[in-house]
Amino acid sequence: MKVLLGHSGSELSWEAFRQTVERATAAGDSLTVAIYDDDAVGDSLEEIESQVRAELDAAEPAADVRQLDGHVGGGLVELADGEDFDRLVVAGGSRSALGKIRLGSVAEFVVLNAETPVTLIR
Amino acid sequence: MTSNRTYPDEPAGTFPRPPRTVVDREDREIDLRAADRSDQETLLSMYETFDPADRAQGIPPVKEYAIESWLETVLDEENLNAIAWHDGDAVGHVMLVADRQGEHELAIFVLSEYQGAGIGTELIETLLGHGQREGLERVWLTVERWNKAAIALYQKVGFEICDTESFEIEMTVRLD
């Protein structure tokens, strides 16, 4: 399976990334990691990319890493639908102190707009 | 640290404070009382019978251990809670949970057989009155955009819509 993972550097993105790498290694998926900037996180794309590459090297799945700029949701949908990915995985959602889940704007956009099936990790 | 939420310029009026007793539209006598850690077991029982269709944005959780740990947080000393009682049973629960910006998030759950009888409105107003007594200033909530009944109820109480950009609508009220 050809899998695209969106990665913002958030804690939840790292969780989604590790789960997806584990699955890709076991199932022989071809994985592309698309890194993007989320103002809420603060890590630079380069910092995220070097950590992603380090973990991918350790796990050894077939993987490609790219950086997205511009409208992140639009970029993910264009990439997933335009390059025939079988699945788009994104982390999206946070819990308030009270425990209510809120979806992030990227997650909302891709769930509504992607033709490719979306796995939402939250 | 402050949030970027917008609040109404003017505070809402004075809300009634707990404890108080109201009669709902089904002629049931409902006691509205402040709640704390000692009510955890009661609330656990209430949420175990909660209708899955009445959950909102992931709460209350489904599994017993998850409800317990959620109640641990909600009933923490820095938060305010109130329960609607009927014949000795908890039938509704409203909470104000402190966030990191010194504001408070509100959520309410009423058992399905007690919905539509005006208890939710009374219960929210009573906890906001408790909040005024304790010096709380800013209260916010999120609600799913299809939930017109809840949005109308919150507006009636004094909340105003402040953000409609995401999946959920955000509403705020100023207490003081």
Side-chain angles (χ1 to χ4, degrees):
Chain A
M1 195 159 87
K2 198 174 157 189
V3 178
L4 175 64
L5 170 81
H7 196 321
S8 71
S10 68
E11 202 175 312
L12 202 59
S13 276
W14 284 111
E15 199 179 311
F17 168 69
R18 282 159 196 153
Q19 281 180 25
T20 306
V21 168
E22 194 177 320
R23 204 211 107 88
T25 309
D29 292 341
S30 137
L31 175 64
T32 297
V33 182
I35 296 166
Y36 54 87
D37 187 30
D38 184 340
D39 292 339
V41 177
D43 291 345
S44 73
L45 294 182
E46 286 66 32
E47 285 170 319
I48 301 167
E49 177 163 354
S50 66
Q51 177 69 24
V52 162
R53 287 192 183 281
E55 296 197 19
L56 286 174
D57 286 346
E60 293 181 4
D64 180 24
V65 184
R66 304 193 199 177
Q67 295 190 3
L68 283 185
D69 51 14
H71 187 277
V72 173
L76 284 172
V77 169
E78 196 177 302
L79 195 55
D81 292 354
E83 297 189 18
D84 295 323
F85 279 89
D86 300 300
R87 184 162 300 272
L88 169 56
V89 182
V90 283
S94 54
R95 281 184 185 268
S96 67
L98 198 154
K100 277 195 175 178
I101 293 166
R102 305 193 71 178
L103 288 186
S105 59
V106 172
E108 177 179 340
F109 188 92
V110 302
V111 166
L112 292 176
N113 291 288
E115 298 282 342
T116 308
V118 176
T119 297
L120 181 65
I121 311 280
R122 60 152 185 76
Chain B
M1 200 164 127
T2 54
S3 72
N4 51 10
R5 252 171 235 119
T6 54
Y7 281 83
D9 292 334
E10 295 297 317
T14 303
F15 291 103
R17 298 171 177 194
R20 52 194 286 259
T21 301
V22 298
V23 175
D24 77 0
R25 286 200 285 270
E26 306 279 335
D27 277 334
R28 292 174 293 212
E29 205 166 272
I30 307 290
D31 290 322
L32 306 169
R33 297 204 293 266
D36 59 25
R37 181 77 70 205
S38 65
D39 298 297
Q40 186 161 343
E41 286 302 314
T42 302
L43 288 173
L44 185 62
S45 309
M46 181 186 118
Y47 283 116
E48 278 173 346
T49 65
F50 206 71
D51 185 341
D54 289 331
R55 296 202 157 84
Q57 294 144 274
I59 54 169
V62 178
K63 298 199 172 96
E64 184 181 328
Y65 76 89
I67 301 173
E68 265 176 17
S69 111
W70 175 66
L71 286 173
E72 286 280 333
T73 307
V74 163
L75 294 171
D76 193 89
E77 269 179 22
E78 62 179 343
N79 305 325
L80 298 180
N81 289 262
I83 293 175
W85 298 87
H86 180 239
D87 281 348
D89 292 322
V91 301
H93 172 212
V94 60
M95 63 215 84
L96 281 166
V97 174
D99 66 19
R100 285 190 287 266
Q101 285 83 39
E103 300 171 14
H104 288 76
E105 182 182 3
L106 181 139
I108 179 167
F109 295 99
V110 174
L111 290 182
S112 55
E113 57 270 40
Y114 289 86
Q115 290 175 10
I119 295 173
T121 306
E122 297 286 356
L123 187 53
I124 290 175
E125 289 181 340
T126 304
L127 187 64
L128 292 177
H130 188 29
Q132 283 177 325
R133 179 165 57 198
E134 298 294 320
L136 269 50
E137 287 179 14
R138 287 170 296 173
V139 173
W140 61 278
L141 60 84
T142 60
V143 55
E144 285 148 315
R145 58 177 64 247
W146 49 264
N147 198 345
K148 304 285 184 215
I151 295 166
L153 186 161
Y154 295 136
Q155 282 176 322
K156 189 170 75 176
V157 169
F159 282 86
E160 293 180 11
I161 292 173
C162 79
D163 177 17
T164 56
E165 279 176 24
S166 57
F167 255 27
E168 303 82 17
I169 286 177
E170 194 163 82
M171 302 178 77
T172 56
V173 67
R174 187 182 292 280
L175 296 186
D176 185 27

